[in-house]
Amino acid sequence: MAQDGTARHCTALHCSAWHCSALHTTHDPLSCAVHPQSNCIKTSKYNIITFLPVNLFEQFQEVANTYFLFLLILQLIPQISSLSWFTTIVPLVLVLTITAVKDATDDYVKRCQLPPNSTALSLCSLRQEQWMNVRVGDIIKLENNQFVAADLLLLSSSEPHGLCYIETAELDGETNMKVRQAIPVTSELGDTSKLAGFDGEVICEPPNNKLDKFGGTLYWKENKYPLSNQNMLLRGCVLRNTEWCFGLVIFAGPDTKLMQNSGRTKFKRTSIDRLMNTLVLWIFGFLVCMGVILAIGNAIWEHEVGVCFQIYLPWDEGVHSAFFSGFLSFWSYIIILNTVVPISLYVSVEVIRLGHSYFINWDKKMYCAKRRTPAEARTTTLNEELGQVEYIFSDKTGTLTQNIMVFSKCSVNGHSYGEHKRPEPVDFSFNPLADPRFQFWDPSLLEAIKLGDPHVHEFFRLLSLCHTVMSEEKSEGELYYKAQSPDEGALVTAARNFGFVFRSRTPKTITVHELGRAITYQLLAILDFNNIRKRMSVIVRSPEGKIRLYCKGADTILLERLHPVNQDLTNVTTDHLNEYAGEGLRTLVLAYKDLEESYYEEWSERLRRASSAPEAREDRLAQLYDEVEHDMMLLGATAIEDKLQQGVPETIAILTLANIKIWVLTGDKQETAVNIGYSCKMLTDDMTEVFVVTGHTVLEVREELRKAREKMMDASRSISNGFSYQEKLSSSKLTSVLEAIAGEYALVINGHSLAHALEADMEVEFLETACACKAVICCRVTPLQKAQVVELVKKYKKAVTLAIGDGANDVSMIKTAHIGVGISGQEGIQAVLASDYSFSQFKFLQRLLLVHGRWSYLRMCKFLCYFFYKNFAFTMVHFWFGFFCGFSAQTVYDQYFITLYNIVYTSLPVLAMGVFDQDVPEQRSMEYPKLYEPGQLNLLFNKREFFICIAQGIYTSVLMFFIPYGVFADATRDDGAQLADYQSFAVTVATSLVIVVSVQIGLDTGFWTAINHFFIWGSLATYFAILFAMHSDGLFQMFPNQFRFVGNAQNTLAQPTVWLTIALTTVVCIMPVVAFRFLKLDLKPELSDTVRARGRRGWARGGRPLPWGSLTHPPVLSSGALHSARAEEAEDPAPVHAARGARGLPPLRLRLLPPGGLRGAHHVRQEHAAQLPGALQLQRPAQRRLDRDPA
Amino acid sequence: MKNKTSVLPQEGEARPSRCPDNSAFKQQRLPAWKPQLTIATVLSTFFVTGMLCLSVGVCLILSANSVREFQIDYSDKCSDCSELRENSSNWNKECHCSVNFTLEEDILGDVFMYYGLQNFYQNHRRYVLSRSDAQLLGENVNNSYCSPFTTYQNGTPMAPCGAIANSMFNDTIDLFYNLNSSVIQVPLLKTGNSWWTDKNVKFRNPKSYNLSSAFAGTARPPYWQKPVYLLDEEDERNNGYVNNDFIIWMRVSAFATFRNLYRRVSRIRQFANGLPAGNYTFNISYNFPVTKFKARKHVILSTVVWSGGSNPFLGIAYVVSGAAATLAGFVITAIHLKLRKRKTCFQK
């Protein structure tokens, strides 16, 4: 900084102002020595030098890796070592290397993705600085449309009175502009020289996450100036409509309110990860048990047999008792049985997930051509959890909607315009000031204006006057509107095109071009919009001197405030309003009122007094506003469309069918949120009831929630009389009753009520109520509340949650949920940076979950099952052999086989299955959303499945040992020599093991691509190639003590008996599996089996991909899944019911949706030219987790 | 999804660089074989496997039954000897005994003579490891692989070293045919009984002008009666490390009960067709102590067929598996038929 003369001022300033970060009272200049908080937020972990030690240190923090290191050390003790050191170190090094490469890549990628930290801006107006170099106490200059780099105290700006406008969408999701004002004494400091003389000191509150509060004091020139949030520019905001401004950095980097609000980054683990860790611990326990059994066996054996055998095999030095020998043998067995805890498990899982992530990145169907953004899996560790999602928390603005408002319909004086659409948009060429982008399709409205309909004129006059839009006219006729909210912008633009052009405003006047005539209205008062009033008004004096109040606002509020003479008109307009709302449009009612001069004078006098009142100012103002906005005359209503993103209702419909609950959490106001809820089909008119919770106190909220629950209970009681006796249900039982609620309900809750509902004593009540509803909408929520809601569901429901959003206000929620998805939209990239997955359209979510997530889950589960199976089959053979070799920890296999089994002979086929397997084609996942269910219920890999795999592995190992044992004992080769020598036995068992597990992976692989073929056959070929190489003369002559199996392969594998043994083992190991699999498929087929079989049958006939012709059930079903379920229900409920009954599920219920209610479900089906008159929805009243891991 | 994406304007624009490739691999559309367990494949698999297993099993049983085998446990037949051998200090006292037996019928074909040991843990880990293949390859190396039988206390290395070599079976068994009170020694072949690779690759004597000098500076293992270069004084190519009996012993068994090939009956003179029926005597020089560690030893005469010796296990196992597979095939058919009725009902 101290480079030239002027810069020194800045340094001085540095120190003087720096106390603001030493926020706690101290004025001690020494505190300057402490480094102020840097603005840099560091996200990468390594650099080139630290990489190796840090990464190794991290890796050895993993329990598994430490365990293998421990094993390695054990193996170096000669008395214990039952295996050569390389059997452990080779896999360990391989695993560490792969992980290190992956970590390095991840870290490198992260480093490259930090655009906000690299933006340059002017600092102290002296030099450009990187964001990361901004320090607390610096004064920085911001220019229009720049992001605010840190939390700043506004000092001065280009606008009069030190005003500046900011957009806080990144922060709280609200898209309207907000005004901030510098305190008068600093607003004079308009240029650098004056600023250089500024040496004030700020004492303020410590860093916190409250976005709307700030308290502090500026000490300058012996004066104190109070500071409030009104003076602050927070990091993440964007400067708008202001050429430049200066600000003093108060909080930087992690202290900023944005970062404080974003929650702590947690390391996310999937439920499979947690289950896997539990299972690995169990396996450890199992390993120790086996070790103990064999150690006891060893002690007994040495005591009974070994002690006599000492003439030929004396005990090792230092071993004086059978007991001690048993103790050593325990450790020896821990070494040779360690392969039950598969060392390559974690790294294989990582590799598979990486593969799945690439498939997501490569998916052309999740590529948005308009924005040129492909989908991106930003973390590679969560993929399979995408197949288990039960709750989706979605932001609204920018996620469900495009955040583009369009004036679409209006009702003026009982006449609705915009209904009849013409092919051509209305021609606005008569109006030179018209916005060419505006389009309206109903010419009758323009005709009404041209005919001079006074109501229509007054309607548009209101729209052109009653707003807070700013205009900017760069050149004559080139108008730009800066609206606080896109709604207002849309309305004013509509008025502009219909000939009522809002031209400019001053604090006291508004100039409007009415049909070519410039008219300046005197602006007497603006009655602001707020959330309680839900309306805004202006009072203007026309050039003729008439005073008129124009008001626009929410229908619920405004219709009550109309003059009684409006009754007829009100009825017609209400009909129109309902119609509009039903279409998901955002409506506003417009009204006006003429004011008497005298009344106005008196009222404005009272207003002036109220606004300068020291206390209860807000209330008194509200009262005055309330008084004047009364007995108004109805003008009409507007309907604005907040365009939904493409495919949103379809996506929501499909996700709902897949049993995923969708909650919308938005910062928007309630009406808007509800409207969007309707338009994206989350809320429907045939819902039994939509509960709205708006209470302001704890009691009110509790009461509202209780009422909602009671209504639901009543309804379900009236349906099933069974409940009538259970009036008094304990709260724990309440849960189950509420989960079985019949009918469709929705809950809408306001932010202030949510604050109460989320308190510790009410959160369970709230959650139960909310979860009983089909749709939940939380409006006016803060970013932290979003996270709290997600946290609540995570805490009590033990379900996988997914949060999706696009703005900085969604970051905390994205970080809290199990899976965070960022929409790379118009609101910057904060959400994307915090997310685990990102793409640019909400509709891609269905593909991410139903296709990629489902496949990932399926593949991961199949992979894990097989992986545990193959390791148990491999390792347990040693256990059985222990009983025949004096428990001496002799291995069955050659040590090279042990080294290579997991990393060479059996790794690639299972990886190929884990990466490429597909049970049903991707289209089917969309057609049959029910296919998603096994993931949610955790059916494919859970403790039960694990035990089945283990049992299969143990079964295989038993046969793998005892069949060769039976054959080899006392047997001779066909040339008379002994057959049962140790080395031949080892080769026979190893070969049959490799063949059996290869056949098994062949059975498990459902999707044999060329790669699978290559890997499976290649692995077998590799096995034999390595076998013969290891047993070759050359290697033996070089290292006779290492390659002792010389000549073994050709001598053993030339024996017909050996091959007959291998064949028998394979048959006996595989046939029962085939039988069980087939019977399961035949007796209780999973939906995926049915779908797969159907697809296959169609394919076999060589015709269309699916034999839809056979699906000619009367009302064609939305999916064949339902077909089979329904059909079985109708014809013979036994199989499905028996299956479900066994799982403890209530029977299926079917419900007909109205036509078109399920657009999403059949859009793929349209390819098959099936017209769908209606759609069946399959639903289970309650969704219960069957075997969910409690962790 | 498909039709929607194609609507998006892509043709006219320059192809965006970030657009993923439309390759079958990246879009997961690789052509693939999707096998599924259908009733046809499963049943045919079961029946075919069942039949195959049954027929293989029957063949195996038939051929195993054609094997003639004769076995004598002689651990206690010479009771003095076994007691004598329990004390290792008597290692150089000779002890002979003879075991008489009668063959009721001829044993035709190649006849093999085995010694069998029971409860001798050749597969114990420390035992298995205790050998030096480098030494047996004629390389004069001293290494720790042989522990605990590496060197004597005075530092003289053992040749061959290690527990396996030390415990080598050292009974000599001769077979005599008692024909009309005349005793004819049955000619036995002691070479050609081991694997070719063992004889020619794995074992090699140290290079020197004669064997005894090749082993100069080494001593015999403690339990041996003679040094390694005197194992077969008649045949230079069957002496030292390449001695057949030694090679066979060094190929350790997988289990505690095993039999090793000892001699083959040379098919000459009376024995051209095998061993004729009649009275025989085994003349055994009893050197190998087994009673001390509760082991047993046998001498076995046997013929072989293509599937090896007389072990019936494989044949029986095949028959059982074949029967089980066939039975399972029928069970599956029954279950499936019962279910199929329902299926056809609703498919109409």
Side-chain angles (χ1 to χ4, degrees), chain A residues 764-803:
Chain A
V764 180
E765 254 173 278
F766 165 63
L767 185 70
E768 293 306 336
T769 317
C771 288
C773 295
K774 275 204 71 128
V776 178
I777 297 176
C778 306
C779 21
R780 287 252 160 246
V781 291
T782 64
L784 211 61
Q785 275 180 330
K786 289 186 177 187
Q788 284 170 341
V789 172
V790 176
E791 190 64 48
L792 182 69
V793 175
K794 263 173 86 177
K795 191 167 146 197
Y796 290 102
K797 280 290 169 184
K798 296 191 179 77
V800 177
T801 56
L802 180 145

Side-chain angles (χ1 to χ4, degrees), chain A residues 79 81 301-302 304 308-309 311-316 332 359 361-365 367 372-374 852 855 859 881 884-886 888-890 916 918 926 963 965-967 969-970 972-978 980-985 1006-1009 1011 1033 1036-1037 1040-1042 1044 1046-1048 1050-1051 1056-1057 1060 1063-1064 1067-1068 1071 1075 1077-1078 1081-1083 1089 1092-1093 1096 1127-1128 1131-1132 1163, chain B residues 1-2 10 13-16 18-20 22 25-28 30-39 42 45-46 49 56 60 112 114 120-121 123-129 131-134 137 139 143 145 148-149 163 167 193 195 197 201-202 204 223 251-255 257-261 288-289 292-294 304-309 311 313-314 317-318 321 332 335-336 339 342-343 346-347:
Chain A
Q79 276 83 6
S81 165
W301 187 87
E302 289 290 350
E304 298 287 322
C308 312
F309 198 59
I311 47 163
Y312 284 141
L313 192 63
W315 284 347
D316 273 333
S332 303
F359 281 134
N361 295 345
W362 286 334
D363 195 338
K364 216 169 148 52
K365 289 177 188 164
Y367 172 75
R372 296 192 173 192
T373 39
H852 290 284
W855 273 347
R859 290 164 178 171
F881 189 55
F884 293 84
C885 68
S888 59
Q890 172 64 19
F916 300 111
Q918 301 180 6
M926 308 281 209
I963 288 181
Y965 171 72
V967 175
D970 279 342
T972 52
R973 295 158 57 89
D974 56 3
D975 58 4
Q978 171 185 221
D981 70 277
Y982 166 73
Q983 295 188 339
S984 299
F985 181 73
F1007 194 75
W1008 285 69
T1009 62
I1011 300 164
D1033 303 357
F1036 173 75
Q1037 266 149 9
N1041 283 321
Q1042 263 69 45
R1044 291 175 161 175
V1046 59
N1048 208 54
Q1050 66 257 42
N1051 278 301
T1057 321
L1060 285 175
L1064 179 69
V1067 166
V1068 178
M1071 293 308 260
R1077 293 234 170 130
F1078 176 73
L1081 196 76
D1082 210 32
L1083 296 181
D1089 300 329
R1092 189 181 164 96
R1096 185 187 166 80
E1128 289 186 42
E1131 301 292 338
D1132 181 2
H1163 71 264
Chain B
M1 281 317 280
K2 215 176 268 175
Q10 287 181 348
E13 301 173 15
R15 198 177 169 78
R18 296 186 68 196
C19 182
N22 193 13
F25 175 74
K26 289 189 172 180
Q27 301 306 317
Q28 306 195 58
L30 284 176
W33 174 51
K34 301 163 206 160
Q36 205 180 20
L37 296 176
T38 60
I39 184 71
V42 169
T45 314
F46 269 84
T49 316
V56 170
L60 281 169
F112 298 85
Y114 302 87
F120 187 95
Y121 282 83
N123 58 3
H124 194 284
R125 175 169 57 90
R126 282 183 289 121
Y127 185 88
V128 172
L129 290 176
R131 66 189 285 161
S132 167
D133 284 284
L137 200 55
E139 293 169 13
N143 48 45
Y145 290 99
F149 296 97
S167 62
N193 299 339
W195 293 2
T197 47
V201 180
K202 202 170 180 183
R204 215 174 286 162
Y223 288 100
R251 184 155 283 283
V252 297
S253 162
F255 305 105
T257 300
F258 60 94
R259 56 175 65 172
N260 275 346
L261 182 57
F288 196 71
K292 192 158 184 205
F293 46 90
K294 295 167 192 149
V304 294
V305 287
W306 64 274
S307 60
N311 188 343
F313 176 87
L314 196 57
Y318 260 103
S321 327
I332 290 171
I335 294 174
H336 181 74
L339 200 83
R342 293 173 187 158
K343 274 193 178 166
F346 74 74
Q347 270 176 356

Side-chain angles (χ1 to χ4, degrees), chain A residues 45-58:
Chain A
K45 271 195 289 195
Y46 311 114
N47 62 42
I48 293 170
I49 303 151
T50 60
F51 175 72
L52 203 63
V54 172
N55 183 262
L56 277 182
F57 177 71
E58 281 181 354

Side-chain angles (χ1 to χ4, degrees), chain B residues 72-338:
Chain B
I72 289 180
D73 181 342
Y74 71 96
S75 336
D76 302 321
K77 288 272 157 98
C78 331
S79 51
D80 321 341
C81 293
S82 61
E83 276 163 33
L84 185 79
R85 292 297 169 215
E86 288 207 1
N87 189 343
S88 55
S89 61
N90 299 325
W91 63 272
N92 55 357
K93 290 183 186 160
E94 294 205 357
C95 182
H96 293 277
C97 72
S98 49
V99 179
N100 294 318
F101 67 98
T102 309
L103 286 183
E104 302 294 335
E105 51 188 85
D106 297 351
I107 301 182
L108 297 178
D110 285 329
V111 181
F112 298 85
M113 190 163 119
Y114 302 87
Y115 60 87
L117 292 174
Q118 237 176 27
N119 208 23
F120 187 95
Y121 282 83
Q122 258 202 324
N123 58 3
H124 194 284
R125 175 169 57 90
R126 282 183 289 121
Y127 185 88
V128 172
L129 290 176
S130 181
R131 66 189 285 161
S132 167
D133 284 284
Q135 188 194 40
L136 299 176
L137 200 55
E139 293 169 13
N140 200 7
V141 279
N142 256 335
N143 48 45
S144 58
Y145 290 99
C146 287
S147 137
F149 296 97
T150 314
T151 54
Y152 285 99
Q153 276 175 346
N154 61 11
T156 319
M158 296 180 197
C161 67
I164 308 178
N166 179 45
S167 62
M168 181 180 161
F169 181 82
N170 53 2
D171 286 0
T172 46
I173 308 168
D174 291 316
L175 181 58
F176 293 93
Y177 178 40
N178 308 326
L179 183 68
N180 312 325
S181 76
S182 68
V183 177
I184 306 166
Q185 182 166 15
V186 178
L188 297 174
L189 298 171
K190 55 185 172 185
T191 53
N193 299 339
S194 60
W195 293 2
W196 185 91
T197 47
D198 282 3
K199 180 89 177 172
N200 296 288
V201 180
K202 202 170 180 183
F203 293 87
R204 215 174 286 162
N205 282 321
K207 294 272 180 299
S208 189
Y209 58 92
N210 69 17
L211 263 184
S212 56
S213 67
F215 289 101
T218 63
R220 60 178 170 78
Y223 288 100
W224 283 26
Q225 286 154 328
K226 44 193 173 184
V228 64
Y229 51 86
L230 297 178
L231 283 177
D232 187 347
E233 291 164 71
E234 296 150 22
D235 187 352
E236 181 70 17
R237 281 169 300 156
N238 192 28
N239 204 358
Y241 293 149
V242 291
N243 178 269
N244 245 296
D245 295 340
F246 177 68
I247 289 175
I248 286 179
W249 179 258
M250 291 305 284
R251 184 155 283 283
V252 297
S253 162
F255 305 105
T257 300
F258 60 94
R259 56 175 65 172
N260 275 346
L261 182 57
Y262 184 65
R263 296 286 183 265
R264 288 177 296 150
V265 173
S266 174
R267 293 173 67 171
I268 48 170
R269 299 192 302 270
Q270 298 97 318
F271 310 104
N273 294 325
L275 290 180
N279 293 324
Y280 289 83
T281 308
F282 281 124
N283 269 357
I284 296 162
S285 132
Y286 197 116
N287 300 320
F288 196 71
V290 289
T291 46
K292 192 158 184 205
F293 46 90
K294 295 167 192 149
R296 313 292 300 169
K297 50 186 179 180
H298 309 263
V299 59
I300 301 147
L301 292 170
S302 174
T303 58
V304 294
V305 287
W306 64 274
S307 60
S310 70
N311 188 343
F313 176 87
L314 196 57
I316 295 170
Y318 260 103
V319 169
V320 170
S321 327
T326 318
L327 192 70
F330 284 117
V331 171
I332 290 171
T333 318
I335 294 174
H336 181 74
L337 284 181
K338 226 178 138 189

